[in-house]
Amino acid sequence: MTQYDVLIVGAGQAGAQVAMSLRAASFEGSIALIGAEADAPYERPPLSKDYLAGEKTAERLQLRPADFWTSRNIELRLGERVTAVDAAAHSVTTDRSVTLGYRHLVWATGGPPRALPVPGGDLAGVHVIRTRADVDTLRAEAETATNIIIVGGGYIGLEAAAVLSKAGKHVTVLEAMDRVLARVAGEPVSRFYEAQHRAHGVTIVLGAKIEKFEGEGRVTGVRTVDGVLPADLVIVGIGIVPAVAELAAAGAKVSNGVEVDNLCRTSLPDVFAIGDCAFHVNEYALGNGIRLESVQNAIDQAKTVAGVITGAPKPYHAVPWFWSNQYDLKLQTVGLSGGHDATVLRGDPASGSWSLVYLNKGRVVALDCINAARDFVQGKALVDAGVMQGLVPDLELLKNSEVPLKSLLPAA
């Protein structure tokens, strides 16, 4: 049985960052990175943006050049999946019928796209956006498609809608809730983006209830309670399912993801979990448990694990941030708005540059900044001061977009 000091399951941003951070900290033990895809670690956020648009090449997606991994003695085991974990024996079994031992196991698997539970989901022409291979197939089929239906009005769906509508496709977004981005943003942001997409020719259907995907062998339409919409191609973007079944079977505590403490440790000895599949208590979620799907979370949790392994433990503490590019709009979010009880508008949405500030008991807990980079940069400290120190800023000053957010912070 091959033994590794650190065995990382999942070769995405989170898993790759653990390996990189360990070597940066002069860790000399053996490291292996197991990835289900055949590709070396690459960026995922561009998949629904500039990679889908053909503006970014596969080579430019790579997190590091090919020789980086060998030069740092990081073994890549690509095209391989872990099928079982034996926590007592400190080993895993893979789909190659190979048993691998570990001193530390890092679970960074993310998760597969959530399937829409209606008939016809397995028809050709029904796509998801999760891997580079997914998008390669999607791009090839989109070349000859005219009518494209996107199920889900979240970040992925709207980003894809922007790319495909700019390419001249007739795009329809079907959203089950009463507004797009309902799970992540306030109503002013939702209505702004709905208007922007409609102005670019995208049809948005809210409160959509899908009954099935029509077609014989290949999708030809989407049946809703209101009738059938023609479709040459369908994209389903309704989130992911955390890939934690193997850890759960091994005895790990699992809820909405595998549960970890502030050092990213699971309930299993010497097993960590990070990134999209890790459920943790987050200060910026006002002390609630959450699973964050973001590059920021993946990188920062990976660094936390590397610190523990190298004997320099530092609890995970980072202000969450996210971004989305659609048309000429850059949405930058800092903080978590889920627990807000009030909002403040900074600037005029009609100008195309504005921010929505989320408050909880007068404290700033998050901001959505649309083409307002200064608010995003300065808002991070304001969120930190609000959540960690209880700072309550002056509302009139907060509303005034001419007032820099940094001026609302207490003097150093």
Side-chain angles (χ1 to χ4, degrees):
M1 179 173 66
T2 305
Q3 288 281 151
Y4 296 99
D5 291 302
V6 180
L7 183 60
I8 304 166
V9 183
Q13 182 81 61
Q17 186 64 54
V18 174
M20 292 188 289
S21 295
L22 285 170
R23 289 300 188 230
S26 300
F27 179 77
E28 296 181 353
S30 56
I31 301 174
L33 195 56
I34 300 179
E37 296 176 65
D39 298 310
Y42 63 88
E43 295 180 273
R44 294 189 190 275
L47 292 179
S48 56
K49 307 178 187 72
D50 38 7
Y51 187 71
L52 176 59
E55 297 169 356
K56 193 166 191 174
T57 64
E59 184 179 9
R60 289 178 55 211
L61 286 180
Q62 299 299 308
L63 288 175
R64 292 293 185 273
D67 62 356
F68 173 90
W69 309 103
T70 53
S71 67
R72 272 108 179 133
N73 197 26
I74 298 168
E75 182 181 347
L76 297 184
R77 301 181 64 105
L78 302 176
E80 188 171 12
R81 293 178 181 273
V82 168
T83 56
V85 176
D86 187 330
H90 276 52
S91 68
V92 305
T93 303
T94 79
D95 57 358
R96 297 177 183 175
S97 299
V98 172
T99 300
L100 306 172
Y102 63 82
R103 182 181 174 195
H104 302 284
L105 179 67
V106 184
W107 199 261
T109 51
R114 188 179 300 277
L116 191 69
V118 299
D122 57 349
L123 289 171
V126 178
H127 297 271
V128 295
I129 296 177
R130 187 63 177 170
T131 69
R132 187 174 71 83
D134 290 337
V135 180
D136 287 344
T137 303
L138 171 58
R139 281 168 53 180
E141 294 189 16
E143 289 183 7
T144 57
T146 300
N147 296 307
I148 297 177
I149 291 182
I150 298 174
V151 179
Y155 290 132
I156 295 290
L158 294 184
E159 288 165 0
V163 169
L164 294 167
S165 65
K166 286 174 66 177
K169 309 300 179 182
H170 180 261
V171 179
T172 299
V173 174
L174 303 180
E175 169 54 50
M177 300 186 77
D178 61 357
R179 56 188 177 89
V180 301
L181 300 174
R183 297 173 181 83
V184 295
E187 185 167 351
V189 175
S190 297
R191 302 308 181 201
F192 176 82
Y193 274 91
E194 289 166 7
Q196 292 294 317
H197 278 275
R198 286 171 174 143
H200 283 85
V202 176
T203 300
I204 295 181
V205 180
L206 302 173
K209 294 180 175 59
I210 297 173
E211 294 182 337
K212 68 178 294 187
F213 295 132
E214 301 273 3
E216 296 292 333
R218 181 173 182 85
V219 70
T220 58
V222 176
R223 178 176 293 279
T224 73
V225 294
D226 299 312
V228 178
L229 299 171
D232 306 308
L233 188 150
V234 173
I235 301 171
V236 178
I238 55 173
I240 69 166
V241 179
V244 296
E246 293 79 10
L247 282 190
K253 190 174 182 181
V254 169
S255 51
N256 177 24
V258 58
E259 298 187 12
V260 299
D261 64 12
N262 63 2
L263 292 175
C264 299
R265 298 174 299 196
T266 72
S267 58
L268 301 177
D270 302 314
V271 179
F272 302 86
I274 59 174
D276 294 1
C277 69
F279 182 83
H280 65 284
V281 174
N282 192 294
E283 295 147 319
Y284 298 96
L286 306 182
N288 294 314
I290 194 167
R291 190 173 53 78
L292 291 177
E293 299 173 21
S294 73
V295 170
Q296 166 273 315
N297 181 61
I299 291 174
D300 289 327
Q301 287 191 328
K303 291 179 178 179
T304 295
V305 170
V308 175
I309 292 173
T310 56
K314 186 177 180 181
Y316 175 79
H317 175 84
V319 180
W321 55 263
F322 315 83
W323 82 95
S324 177
N325 295 335
Q326 299 168 44
Y327 308 111
D328 59 350
L329 303 170
K330 187 174 185 68
L331 169 61
Q332 294 172 290
T333 297
V334 59
L336 298 170
S337 62
H340 77 277
D341 55 25
T343 59
V344 166
L345 186 67
R346 277 175 63 84
D348 181 5
S351 72
S353 175
W354 59 288
S355 298
L356 187 66
V357 184
Y358 299 87
L359 306 172
N360 176 275
K361 299 178 181 177
R363 305 167 298 162
V364 175
V365 294
L367 297 93
D368 282 328
C369 308
I370 295 92
N371 290 347
R374 186 178 71 165
D375 277 3
F376 172 71
V377 172
Q378 297 182 12
K380 181 178 179 181
L382 199 58
V383 168
D384 195 50
V387 173
M388 304 306 298
Q389 302 169 31
L391 175 70
V392 176
D394 183 290
L395 282 184
E396 291 307 312
L397 294 177
L398 189 61
K399 292 177 184 177
N400 188 343
S401 60
E402 298 300 317
V403 175
L405 292 176
K406 64 182 180 182
S407 69
L408 305 182
L409 293 166

